[in-house]
Amino acid sequence: MNTATQAAAGIPTVKLLIDGAFVESRTSEWRDVVNPATQEVLARVPFATAEEVDAAVAAAKEAFKTWRKTPISTRARIFLKYQQLIREHMQELAAILTAEQGKTLPDAEGDVFRGLEVVEHAAGIANLQLGELANNVANGVDTYTLLQPLGVCAGITPFNFPAMIPLWMFPMAIACGNTFVLKPSEQDPMVTMRLVELALEAGIPKGVLNVVHGGPDVVNAICDHKDIKAVSFVGSTRVGTHVYNRASLAGKRAQCMMGAKNHAVVLADANKEQTLNAMAGAAFGAAGQRCMAASTLVLVGQAREWIPELVAKARSLRINAGTEPGTDVGPVISCAARSRIEGLIAAGVEEGARLVLDGRNPVIPGYEKGNFVGPTIFAGVKPGMRIYDEEIFGPVLIILEVDTLDEAIALINANPNGNGTAVFTQSGWAARKFQEEIDVGQVGVNLPIPVPLPMFSFTGSRASKLGDLGPYGKQVVAFYTQTKTVTARWFDEETASHGVNTTISLK
């Protein structure tokens, strides 16, 4: 459908942002943005042309010439204003996010808020971007470091957090003095674009932030572009591995946060009610579409007797459209996602796992066309089954049973992914043993989704992460800057001549 036909049909189009202007794409390739609860077409998003990607990068490259010299206090004040604008528009942003992604309104607000925390952190860039100084390292010689911006940076974001993940990326990159090209998910770009509008309102100059939309061709163009210096990615392992390899081959810095299989270990001494509530929320919240979802439960010893109570807890959750009050579990993002999840549930049954709660084909009055899958629980799961080996990315919890904590640790460490894990216990000794011996980037103790606040860095590991540095926190300042070391000596007229020194020493 071309632009004229779209306009005639009354369907809005998502714009590109190039050099400070929101512009209509000239592409012939478009995708529907669909409400996952109703199948209503909310908008059409363009797959940008190669020329449009080049124009966005060129605008960012030109803007970098002046933005890099902008005082750090000026940059900080922009993000002070930006965080206030996000707060003022929180309900509007959540409503847009729910309509296009399917999350419940409270969860959508949480999505925005966790991104807002990083914006607040970016407002403190003056302290984060400090260098180091050593005075008089030799006679009259000082050495100091400068953390200087790289140039044009880019970010590729996923559908499951269309507010939080973009806010993980461009605020910190821009606060460090870089310019940015953002490619949101083509499945739900509308809330991202509203956040971009607010960023411009906060004072981000033209060309400093640019947005292109699209699929694999646009991703490849970003990875290959000679003027982009760094690429940040969050999404699937398959795409993330491709992005990392392609961007690295093109000589760019890259950080890719990817898939996961997050295990939660429950010991029999854990607080039962607190643990069951935590697991139900962490496994089924956001319809299981979180890279940090606690999708895999490991019951140790007598804790395996808790399965019936966990099933009862999951059965009590309300499935409905995210806009309906009291909803616990909304729809998954697309018809294709629903079909894939249902196919994996069927595979779990075929491979011998016990389906103790089947969430397929729930009846949701008024939303019969929605992409709904209810909370689903498998017991008796073993490594080697597809439902264990693959990331389901839906409201499906799988349960494994072991006899000891050592067995649980060995099981988790044998899994290739290392995004997050958790242990539930009242034993300080057991918790300390777990956090010391587990080979996973983020560990929760009696906390099922251990995503750190922005003063720390997101630290996924192994197959869940490519690149040495993570998003936000101190690590991302290192990612978005180049350290320059300056060694300086100044002479007055009386001490200017020391003769010729043919050694490398400083005297």
Side-chain angles (χ1 to χ4, degrees):
M1 182 181 288
N2 60 35
T3 304
T5 306
Q6 292 164 12
I11 301 172
T13 56
V14 180
K15 306 301 188 287
L16 308 175
L17 174 62
I18 299 176
D19 201 22
F22 292 97
V23 297
E24 194 79 70
S25 176
R26 294 180 175 274
T27 187
S28 60
E29 186 178 359
W30 297 77
R31 175 179 176 140
D32 291 345
V33 179
V34 178
N35 183 320
T38 65
Q39 306 307 318
E40 173 193 3
V41 177
L42 303 173
R44 295 189 187 277
V45 61
F47 281 34
T49 65
E51 293 76 17
E52 289 166 341
V53 175
D54 285 341
V57 177
K61 184 179 180 182
E62 182 64 25
F64 179 66
K65 295 176 182 178
T66 53
W67 180 247
R68 66 177 300 177
K69 299 177 182 178
T70 302
I72 199 166
S73 58
T74 301
R75 288 183 256 145
R77 281 193 290 271
I78 287 173
F79 290 101
L80 279 173
K81 183 175 181 181
Y82 188 35
Q83 64 88 21
Q84 183 59 38
L85 288 171
I86 292 174
R87 288 182 183 278
E88 292 172 358
H89 292 81
M90 181 70 76
Q91 291 184 342
E92 174 199 356
L93 292 164
I96 296 170
L97 198 160
T98 293
E100 63 178 344
Q101 202 276 343
K103 290 185 180 183
T104 66
L105 284 169
D107 194 31
E109 286 196 17
D111 188 330
V112 179
F113 186 80
R114 291 310 302 266
L116 170 63
E117 292 174 330
V118 178
V119 176
E120 293 171 337
H121 200 57
I125 191 63
N127 289 323
L128 298 171
Q129 206 169 343
L130 293 174
E132 299 172 314
L133 168 66
N135 181 249
N136 215 37
V137 296
N139 187 28
V141 177
D142 303 326
T143 299
Y144 54 94
T145 59
L146 308 174
L147 301 184
Q148 296 188 312
L150 302 175
V152 182
C153 300
I156 301 165
T157 64
F159 77 84
N160 59 327
F161 283 96
M164 183 183 78
I165 301 299
L167 293 177
W168 278 12
M169 293 183 183
F170 74 80
M172 290 303 299
I174 290 172
C176 286
N178 301 287
T179 55
F180 206 82
V181 177
L182 176 66
K183 195 213 84 69
S185 170
E186 66 277 15
Q187 297 189 75
D188 48 9
M190 296 167 62
V191 70
T192 309
M193 294 308 295
R194 184 66 183 117
L195 285 165
V196 167
E197 291 173 359
L198 294 176
L200 298 190
E201 185 179 337
I204 291 180
K206 73 171 189 175
V208 172
L209 176 60
N210 303 270
V211 183
V212 293
H213 304 284
D217 289 344
V218 173
V219 169
N220 288 339
I222 288 171
C223 293
D224 296 343
H225 204 290
K226 63 182 178 60
D227 290 326
I228 292 177
K229 305 302 181 183
V231 178
S232 183
F233 170 89
V234 176
S236 72
T237 296
R238 179 183 62 82
V239 178
T241 302
H242 170 81
V243 167
Y244 185 83
N245 290 338
R246 190 154 184 156
S248 298
L249 188 64
K252 303 178 188 351
R253 293 186 181 183
Q255 57 171 210
C256 296
M257 311 309 296
M258 305 180 297
K261 200 72 176 180
N262 304 313
H263 300 70
V265 174
V266 177
L267 303 183
D269 70 342
N271 182 298
K272 182 184 290 189
E273 187 64 17
Q274 183 259 342
T275 300
L276 294 177
N277 286 333
M279 284 306 306
F284 307 123
Q289 297 173 124
R290 294 174 177 148
C291 66
M292 287 290 290
S295 62
T296 305
L297 178 60
V298 183
L299 298 177
V300 181
Q302 292 182 340
R304 67 189 73 193
E305 298 172 5
W306 298 7
I307 293 176
E309 292 160 284
L310 179 60
V311 170
K313 187 77 68 174
R315 201 186 298 275
S316 71
L317 298 177
R318 186 181 180 211
I319 311 159
N320 211 324
T323 52
E324 296 294 331
T327 298
D328 298 302
V329 181
V332 297
I333 186 66
S334 66
C335 296
R338 177 184 176 182
S339 296
R340 180 180 178 276
I341 294 164
E342 291 175 340
L344 283 165
I345 294 172
V349 173
E350 292 172 5
E351 291 180 336
R354 301 196 317 273
L355 185 59
V356 294
L357 180 61
D358 189 352
R360 289 175 290 183
N361 303 312
V363 177
I364 314 297
Y367 297 98
E368 289 79 7
K369 295 181 180 180
N371 308 320
F372 293 99
V373 180
T376 298
I377 300 177
F378 278 102
V381 176
K382 304 290 184 184
M385 294 180 177
R386 283 187 63 198
I387 55 174
Y388 179 79
D389 293 347
E390 297 183 27
E391 185 176 23
I392 299 174
F393 225 61
V396 181
L397 176 65
I398 62 173
I399 301 175
L400 297 87
E401 302 170 28
V402 297
D403 293 325
T404 67
L405 179 59
D406 284 328
E407 289 179 70
I409 291 171
L411 173 72
I412 297 169
N413 287 345
N415 190 282
N417 295 290
N419 216 25
T421 188
V423 63
F424 290 86
T425 180
Q426 296 189 68
S427 166
W429 172 85
R432 191 176 191 282
K433 174 183 174 66
F434 185 82
Q435 72 183 37
E436 286 290 321
E437 297 184 10
I438 207 71
D439 185 15
V440 173
Q442 282 143 162
V443 180
V445 177
N446 297 318
L447 189 76
I449 305 179
V451 178
L453 290 171
M455 63 284 293
F456 296 92
S457 297
F458 192 94
T459 52
S461 62
R462 295 193 283 155
S464 295
K465 176 185 176 183
L466 288 172
D468 295 330
L469 300 171
Y472 65 79
K474 293 179 181 179
Q475 289 189 13
V476 86
V477 175
F479 179 76
Y480 283 128
T481 61
Q482 177 65 49
T483 301
K484 180 181 290 183
T485 305
V486 180
T487 302
R489 168 183 279 163
W490 296 96
F491 300 101
D492 60 28
E493 292 184 2
E494 294 181 3
T495 60
S497 179
H498 288 275
V500 177
N501 179 10
T502 60
T503 74
I504 62 171
S505 65
L506 293 173
K507 296 181 179 179

